[in-house]
Amino acid sequence: MKRIAIFPGSFDPFTKGHEDIVLRGLTLFDDIIVAIGYNSGKSQRYFPVEFMVEKIKETFKNQPSISVQTFSELTAEFAKRNKARYLLRGLRNTTDFEYENSISQVNRNLNPELESVFLITSPAFAAISSSIIREVHRYKGDVSSMIPYKL
Ligand code: ADP
């Protein structure tokens, strides 16, 4: 049976930190679905969701085991529908840990077969966040060193 993982997030935008988690995840899983969740809480996006789907596809165009989808339902439901038994997430710091800890408990309750797997960020990418990129981009700063594609 194939080991399918989903890597869910807002990805507004997708960063080199996210890319690193996905590529490292490939050593653990056969297929990874990058799943852009939209409309839950953070409904006002900076980068349109269709635009980000194209950019992530472009980033992984040479990796057939990585696909991209959007979803607007519970992550646990999306995973079940896609036969994914693993939920991949990245951890940068204790703030991420606190947040991830509580959502993984909720996801486990909603779908007991879904195992959350956490990868600690690579030091080179620890300082990268989507919110910093949005802020720099908003004021016309250069974000090219933080994203794996051209805007
Ligand atoms: P969410 O809105 O669900 O937190 P994000 O798009 O911000 O989604 O992040 C998706 C996942 O990637 C989360 O697990 C987050 O902790 C992780 N992540 C974000 N930035 C980095 C980074 N620089 N290095 C490693 N993991 C990261």
Side-chain angles (χ1 to χ4, degrees), residues 15-18 20 91-93 96 120-134 136 145-146:
T15 72
K16 282 193 178 172
H18 295 135
D20 177 61
L91 292 178
R92 281 164 295 184
N93 47 42
D96 276 355
I120 299 288
T121 185
S122 300
F125 306 118
I128 299 179
S129 73
S130 299
S131 57
I132 286 177
I133 294 174
R134 289 196 298 274
V136 173
S145 65
M146 296 184 274

Side-chain angles (χ1 to χ4, degrees), residues 7 9-11 18 21 42 89-90 92 96 100 121 125 128:
F7 180 46
S10 317
F11 307 123
H18 295 135
I21 297 293
K42 295 183 185 173
R89 296 285 285 179
R92 281 164 295 184
D96 276 355
E100 297 296 337
T121 185
F125 306 118
I128 299 179

